[in-house]
Amino acid sequence: MTIPFPFTAVVGQDDLRLALLLNAVSPAVGGVLVRGEKGTAKSTAVRALSALLPEVPVVPGCRFSCDPASPDPGCPDGPHETGGGVERPARMVELPVGASEDRLVGALDIERALSEGVKAFEPGLLADAHRGILYVDEVNLLHDHLVDLLLDAAAMGASYVEREGVSVRHAARFLLVGTMNPEEGELRPQLLDRFGLTVEVAASREPDQRVEVVRRRLAYDDDPAAFAARWAEDEAEVRARIVAARELLPSVRLGDGALRQIAATCAAFEVDGMRADIVMARTATALAAWAGRTDVLAEDVRQAALLALPHRRRRNPFDAPGLDEDKLDETLEEFGGSEEDDPDPGPGPDGPGGGGGQPDPGEGPEGGDTGARPEAGEGGQPQPSGGGEQSAVRASEPFRAKVLSVPGIGEGVAGRRSRARTEHGRTTGARRPQGALTKLHLAATVLAAAPHQRARGRSGPGLVVRRDDLRQATREGREGNLVLFVVDASGSMAARQRMSAVKGAVLSLLLDAYQRRDKVGLVTFRGTGADVALPPTSSVDAAAARLESLPTGGRTPLAAGLLRAHDVLRVERLRDPARRPLVVVVTDGRATGGPEPVALAGRAARLLAADGVASVVVDCESGPVRLGLAGQLAGELGGTAVTLDELRADSIAGLVKDVQRRAA
C-alpha cells in the first residue's frame, strides 16, 4: 500500500490547506476547486487529506456505504436494519478524465435485465465515493457528459442509472475536489458553481521555501514510511482538531450581523443566484468551529468571501478570477453588525483577514497605441510604412458571434460545434456493439432476437435474448473542433482602429470556441515569416492573452502563415486524429515580400484545400477602394469570405450554409 505524503508536511499553500480542512470539518461547504500551475502540490495535498478524515461507520457488506444509523431505504443492497455498523477509513476515489459513463455511475447487465428481469447492477465510482471524497484531477478536461452526471449527482445527492425502463438509484453524497491548470482551459460555469470554494496556488518565489520543498520531497521519496513517521504526531493533532471542530459545529452561532455582511458582500460583487450566500454562511461557520469559537466574527466572513466568491464573479473566460479586497473591506465595514444585532460581533472589519481560520499545521514561510498607415506599392499591394514593430493595440469590445461549423459528420470528442456521431444525442440507427454495450437500441434488439425464439425453446412470456442479439444505438450529436486562427499582424493591418476591430472579432470567436468546447490555436504572420503564437490548446483565455499583446508591423508573408497552419494541422492530426479542424484566416488578403508573394500564397491555400480543411476568411479590408483579395483567397482555400461586420448577430446566418455548399 502506498504511503501518502503527510498533509502537515506540505510547505506553504495556506489557502489550499485551509479550504481542504474546512470541507473536512463541514462537508456541506461543497468541495474545493484548486487552480494553479503544474508542480504546486495540488494533487499531493488532496490525496493527503483523506488520511486525516475520521473513520466512517457503514453497514457491513453494503457496496454503497450506507450509514447504519440511517440507512438509505432505496439502497440496491438493502433494505438494511438500523444499527450494527462497522467503521472503515474514509475513501478518496479518483475519477480519471477519460472514464466512461458506466465507470462513473455503474452499469446494468442488460441481457439479464431483458431476459430475467433481474437488476444486476455493478456500482460505479459515485457509489464508491459516497460519504467520502471524489477527486478529479484535470477536472477542466472532463468530458461534458461526465460533467452532466456529476452535476446531477451533486444537486440531488443520488445517482440514477437508466437503461430502457430499468432503473437503479443509490445515494451519492461526496466531497467534490477538483484540480486544474487554467492554461489548459476553463470549466463550464455550471460545474464551476458547484464547487463551494476555490483557491489559486502558485510555486513560491522564495528560495528558502523552495529549498524546504525539495528537501522534504527527497526525504519522502527515499523512505516514505520513515518520513510519514516523523510527521505522525502533527497528523494526529490535526485529525483531533478536525474531530473537535465537527463536534463544535452545531453550536456555532451565525448572527444577523454576519448574515447581513454575507448578503451585502454577495450583492456587491454581483454573483449569480443564492448559492454563494449559502456557501459563505457555511464556510464562515466552519471557520469559527475550526478556530474553536461558537460565534462567527467579521474576520470569518472576510475569509469566507475570499474562498467562496472569486470563481463566481467571472462573466466570461477572459475575466481574471479574484476579488478586490479594498471593496470587500468597505462592504464589510458598511454592513457590519451593531451591538444590538449581534451581542458578540468580534473585532470587526479591521481585524486580521482570516486570522482565526488559518490552519497552522506544517512548517514553512509563507502605453500609448500607435498605428501605421500602409502605402500602395506595385500591383496594388501595400507596402508597410516601415519595417519597425508597432506597439500592441487593445481589442475592441467582444460581441456575440454565431456558429461556424465544419461540414459533414465527424466522430470527434463531444462538444457543441459540428455534427458528429457521439454517445449522446438523438438516435439515428443501430449496429452491433463493438466492446461493452452502453446504449441499447431496444427495438433493434427485439427484432434481432424474435426470429430465433422457437429454436431457442421459448415456452414462457419472456424473450430469450442472447449476446449476439444486442444492438447498440447509434446517435448523432455535436463535437468540438480545432479552431486554428491565422492572423495577419503585418503593417497593412496596423492602423489603430482597424487592428482593434480585428482583435475584437477574434476575441468574439474565441469566446464562441470556449462555449462550444473547442481546442484553439493561434498562428500569426508578419515581417519575414510566421510564428505559432499558441499551439492547439483548450485554454481559450491563454489565446486571448497572446492576442491582446500581439504587436504589428512589417511585410505580409501570407504564404508563410498558411504553410505554418498546414504544419500545425499535420502534427495535430497525428495527436488527435478524430478532431476535425476549422481554419479561420483573419487578413485583408494582401501578400508582400519575396518573389511572387500572391502566387505563392495561392499555392499554400490550395495545399490546405487539398487536405479537405474547412476554412473561413475574415476579410479585414477597409476604405473606399477594395481589391477583393480576401475573397480570392477564400476561393483558393475552398472556403468562404465574411467581413468583420458580417460576424455580428444574425448577419452571419447564411455563412454556415455557404461553407457547406462550397465543401459539398
Side-chain angles (χ1 to χ4, degrees):
M1 179 178 177
T2 303
I3 299 175
F5 192 91
F7 186 86
T8 51
V10 174
V11 178
Q13 308 296 10
D14 290 343
D15 287 342
L16 169 58
R17 292 187 292 138
L18 175 61
L20 292 172
L21 289 170
L22 292 178
N23 276 274
V25 171
S26 175
V29 167
V32 187
L33 174 64
V34 187
R35 298 164 47 93
E37 58 196 26
K38 52 187 175 293
T40 50
K42 300 188 299 293
S43 300
T44 298
V46 174
R47 292 188 176 99
L49 176 67
S50 60
L52 296 179
L53 297 181
E55 291 191 334
V56 179
V58 297
V59 174
C62 178
R63 297 174 298 167
F64 302 88
S65 301
C66 280
D67 186 348
S70 56
D72 180 10
C75 175
D77 284 355
H80 303 300
E81 295 183 359
T82 304
V86 296
E87 290 194 343
R88 62 157 175 79
R91 290 176 180 162
M92 191 194 75
V93 177
E94 293 195 41
L95 171 61
V97 170
S100 66
E101 178 179 335
D102 287 345
R103 184 71 187 96
L104 178 62
V105 300
L108 290 169
D109 188 331
I110 301 296
E111 186 174 351
R112 291 189 63 191
L114 287 175
S115 59
E116 304 174 29
V118 176
K119 294 182 180 180
F121 180 69
E122 183 66 28
L125 295 177
L126 291 181
D128 292 341
H130 179 49
R131 304 177 67 205
I133 301 173
L134 181 62
Y135 172 48
V136 189
D137 194 13
E138 306 294 351
V139 63
N140 50 324
L141 304 182
L142 199 64
H143 289 173
D144 274 3
H145 67 285
L146 298 182
V147 170
D148 293 336
L149 293 170
L150 277 181
L151 289 175
D152 290 342
M156 298 182 294
S159 174
Y160 292 84
V161 183
E162 304 283 348
R163 291 292 188 274
E164 302 295 343
V166 181
S167 64
V168 172
R169 173 213 166 273
H170 64 83
R173 292 182 296 275
F174 47 81
L175 171 59
L176 181 61
V177 180
T179 57
M180 60 174 283
N181 184 346
E183 293 179 356
E184 296 175 339
E186 286 294 342
L187 276 176
R188 284 173 53 184
Q190 295 93 329
L191 183 57
L192 194 64
D193 190 49
R194 286 294 177 186
F195 286 98
L197 310 179
T198 185
V199 292
E200 295 278 339
V201 296
S204 172
R205 299 300 183 257
E206 292 293 331
D208 290 343
Q209 195 173 63
R210 296 176 74 96
V211 166
E212 186 62 22
V213 169
V214 175
R215 181 181 291 117
R216 294 187 187 184
R217 186 68 210 191
L218 292 177
Y220 170 77
D221 291 340
D222 288 342
D223 191 342
F227 185 82
R230 286 171 48 195
W231 295 90
E233 185 176 345
D234 293 328
E235 295 279 287
E237 289 178 2
V238 174
R239 190 178 298 111
R241 188 174 175 186
I242 291 173
V243 172
R246 282 188 173 188
E247 294 174 350
L248 182 63
L249 188 65
S251 304
V252 175
R253 176 178 175 273
L254 183 66
D256 290 342
L259 278 173
R260 278 198 303 272
Q261 287 182 318
I262 290 170
T265 301
C266 293
F269 286 99
E270 299 180 350
V271 296
D272 295 331
M274 295 297 297
R275 183 173 284 115
D277 303 62
I278 297 171
V279 171
M280 271 192 67
R282 289 172 174 166
T283 304
T285 303
L287 280 163
W290 176 251
R293 290 185 270 101
T294 56
D295 287 298
V296 173
L297 308 181
E299 64 193 67
D300 300 323
V301 176
R302 186 181 192 278
Q303 184 67 54
L306 293 174
L307 293 172
L309 298 188
H311 61 303
R312 291 186 165 89
R313 58 168 295 276
R314 301 186 71 185
R315 291 295 180 264
N316 64 61
F318 311 137
D319 289 340
L323 289 183
D324 183 340
E325 295 195 32
D326 291 337
K327 180 178 179 180
L328 173 60
D329 291 335
E330 291 174 2
T331 303
L332 293 175
E333 183 175 2
E334 180 181 355
F335 290 90
S338 66
E339 290 291 333
E340 291 135 348
D341 294 327
D342 191 346
D344 186 13
D350 294 328
Q358 292 289 350
D360 55 3
E363 299 177 2
E366 292 299 307
D369 297 326
T370 61
R373 185 180 299 277
E375 300 175 359
E378 294 180 2
Q381 298 293 335
Q383 301 297 325
S385 57
E389 180 178 293
Q390 307 294 327
S391 61
V393 177
R394 293 187 62 85
S396 62
E397 188 69 21
F399 52 83
R400 185 174 182 81
K402 287 195 174 178
V403 61
L404 304 173
S405 67
V406 178
I409 301 179
E411 295 182 343
V413 297
R416 296 189 179 87
R417 184 171 296 278
S418 304
R419 294 173 58 199
R421 286 180 285 271
T422 64
E423 288 295 318
H424 301 269
R426 64 185 182 89
T427 301
T428 59
R431 60 173 174 81
R432 290 182 181 273
Q434 299 172 350
L437 179 71
T438 55
K439 298 292 182 181
L440 178 72
H441 194 295
L442 182 59
T445 298
V446 172
L447 287 174
H452 308 291
Q453 296 305 295
R454 180 174 298 178
R456 294 172 182 173
R458 172 184 169 184
S459 58
L463 189 68
V464 181
V465 180
R466 303 281 172 81
R467 174 70 186 176
D468 290 343
D469 302 327
L470 300 179
R471 294 295 182 267
Q472 175 86 19
T474 57
R475 303 192 174 196
E476 182 178 308
R478 294 279 169 177
E479 68 177 0
N481 298 110
L482 166 60
V483 182
L484 181 61
F485 293 92
V486 183
V487 180
D488 185 350
S490 66
S492 66
M493 301 282 289
R496 183 179 185 279
Q497 292 183 345
R498 187 181 190 184
M499 197 62 197
S500 177
V502 167
K503 288 187 176 182
V506 177
L507 282 177
S508 304
L509 293 172
L510 283 171
L511 180 59
D512 181 69
Y514 163 76
Q515 294 168 340
R516 300 187 187 280
R517 310 299 287 173
D518 295 317
K519 290 178 73 173
V520 296
L522 178 63
V523 172
T524 64
F525 58 93
R526 66 185 183 92
T528 59
D531 296 311
V532 180
L534 184 71
T537 176
S538 297
S539 179
V540 173
D541 49 348
R546 302 288 174 88
L547 180 74
E548 191 71 23
S549 60
L550 178 67
T552 57
R555 293 183 178 274
T556 312
L558 177 58
L562 297 176
L563 290 173
R564 183 56 61 91
H566 181 269
D567 290 342
V568 171
L569 295 181
R570 176 176 55 81
V571 174
E572 194 64 19
R573 196 175 293 117
L574 297 174
R575 293 175 176 168
D576 193 356
R579 191 182 291 268
R580 297 187 295 163
L582 173 65
V583 174
V584 179
V585 185
V586 184
T587 181
D588 55 12
R590 293 170 169 83
T592 61
E596 299 183 345
V598 177
L600 187 59
R603 288 197 294 271
R606 290 191 293 274
L607 183 62
L608 283 168
D611 287 344
V613 177
S615 59
V616 174
V617 178
V618 179
D619 185 0
C620 303
E621 193 173 28
S622 60
V625 178
R626 303 196 179 197
L627 303 178
L629 298 175
Q632 296 177 24
L633 176 63
E636 299 279 9
L637 287 166
T640 191
V642 57
T643 66
L644 289 173
D645 291 338
E646 290 172 336
L647 284 174
R648 297 177 178 271
D650 296 331
S651 60
I652 201 174
L655 179 60
V656 173
K657 294 180 181 178
D658 192 22
V659 171
Q660 295 172 338
R661 184 173 62 252
R662 287 173 179 267

